Amino acid sequence: MKIILSIDGGGIRGIVPAAILNYLETRIRLIRKDDRIKIADLVDLVAGTSTGSIVGSLMLIPDGKKKKSLYSMKEIIDMYAQMGPEVFKKNRWHNIKTLWGLLGPKFPASNIENPLIQMVDHYKLKDLVQPCVFTGYDIDKRRVNIYTNRDKNEKYADYYVKDVVRGSTSIPAFFRPAYFQEGTDINTIIDGGVFANNPAMVAYIEASKTLFDNKGVRDINPHEMIVISLGTGMGEKTKYPYKKTKRWGAAQWFFPILNILLSGSSDIVDYQMSKLFAAYGRSDNYKRINPPLVYSTAPSTDGSIENITNLLKDANTYIEKNKELLNVLAREICDIKYLANYSDIEE
C-alpha cells in the first residue's frame, strides 16, 4: 500500500495544510514515542502546486547525506510565518513603476526568489528524499510541465528545486514568469494552478507510473494506494450575479475569472477522485481535507502577521473539531508503514 500526499495551491494559505500535517506528525510521534519521526519519511510521493510545491519541497529536503528529511512540520510552519510577509511585501517604488500592477507584475520577483535561494538553493529534484510531483505551465511551448524526480528517463531529476518551485508559484499578474534553463531545455513557467490547482489526480497518475514498476498504469487501482489531498482552506466564495456581470468586458472579468478557474479546477479534481475511488469500492482510501476559513477573510496574497495568525487559528479550529478523523488517519499511516500496534494508545 502506497501513501500519496497532494497539496493544493493557494498563496499564503499554504500554512493551513502545513498545520494539518504538523498535527498528523505530532500524533504519529506520540504513537511511536519517537520525536525524531517526520511525516515526509512515511509517505511514498509528494505532489504540490504553487504554494503546495513550497510545502512539499521543504518536506523533502534531505538531512545531510541521510535519506531522511531535514525539517519537521513545525519548522516548516515557522519558515512560512517568516517568509509570508516578505513574499507578498508591497514595494512603493515597484507600485509606482507598474501603476500598482496594471503595467507589470504586482510584486517584485525578488520577493519570492530570495526566500527560495535561502531555503532550497543548491538542491536538485534528485536530491529530495521521496518521489515528488510539482506542476508548472510553459507559456512559450504552450504545454503542461509535470516536474518529477523518479520518471524512467529522469528528464527533470537534475533541475534545481528553486527553479521548479519558482515556476510553480508564478501567479500570473502577481509575479513575472520563471525563466530557467537546464541543458538545452528552456523553461518559461507560470503557476501550475492554471491547470491543476489541486494536483491529486496528477499525483495519482504519476504514482501509478513510478511507484509500481511491475505494473502498467491501467493495472493500478485505488486498492493499492491512499491519497491524502490537502486543500489550503475554503473561504466564502465570491458570487457574481447576472445583473452585475452582464455588461462586463475583459478588464472586469480578469481577476474574477482567475478566481473561478482556480476554484473550479480544484473542485472538479476532488469530484473525479472521489468518484474514481468509489467506483472501486474504496472511498475510504481517498482523504480530502480542506478546512473552512472563518477567521481569515483576506486574499491569498495577504502575508500579514494578522492574516497568518488567523489562518493558523482556522487550521487549529478544524483540528479540534476533527481530531477523531485525524487520529484515525495517523493510525492508518502507522499501520501501513508497520510502525505500531496502537491498540493500547491513549486517545
Side-chain angles (χ1 to χ4, degrees), residues 58-94:
L58 289 176
M59 289 177 67
L60 301 180
I61 294 298
D63 184 2
K65 293 183 178 180
K66 303 175 185 176
K67 280 297 181 181
K68 298 290 183 181
S69 55
L70 175 61
Y71 298 119
S72 68
M73 290 312 305
K74 177 62 171 62
E75 289 172 315
I76 292 173
I77 290 174
D78 292 341
M79 293 164 78
Y80 245 80
Q82 294 173 6
M83 177 179 65
E86 294 302 314
V87 171
F88 299 111
K89 184 177 181 180
K90 295 178 181 178
N91 180 299
R92 185 179 179 185
W93 170 241
H94 181 83

Side-chain angles (χ1 to χ4, degrees), residues 257-277:
I257 202 65
L258 185 62
N259 176 273
I260 291 168
L261 287 172
L262 293 179
S263 174
S265 69
S266 294
D267 292 344
I268 192 61
V269 170
D270 180 34
Y271 173 82
Q272 292 167 336
M273 291 293 290
S274 60
K275 293 298 183 183
L276 172 64
F277 278 70

Side-chain angles (χ1 to χ4, degrees), residues 21-37:
L21 289 167
N22 180 54
Y23 179 81
L24 290 172
E25 184 173 87
T26 302
R27 185 65 187 175
I28 291 168
R29 288 177 171 187
L30 176 63
I31 292 171
R32 285 295 293 153
K33 297 181 174 61
D34 186 350
D35 288 338
R36 298 170 299 174
I37 291 175

Side-chain angles (χ1 to χ4, degrees), residues 7-17 48-55 80 88 168-169 171 191-194 196-199 230-234 259 262-263 266 288 290 293 296 298-303 307 311:
I7 309 171
D8 287 13
I12 193 61
R13 298 200 306 260
I15 203 166
V16 172
T49 287
S50 196
T51 194
S53 72
I54 298 178
V55 177
Y80 245 80
F88 299 111
S168 190
T169 56
I171 312 168
D191 196 312
V194 299
N197 198 54
N198 175 350
L230 301 181
T232 54
M234 297 183 294
N259 176 273
L262 293 179
S263 174
S266 294
R288 177 65 175 170
N290 197 18
L293 300 181
S296 173
S300 62
T301 54
D302 182 351
N307 189 42
L311 286 167

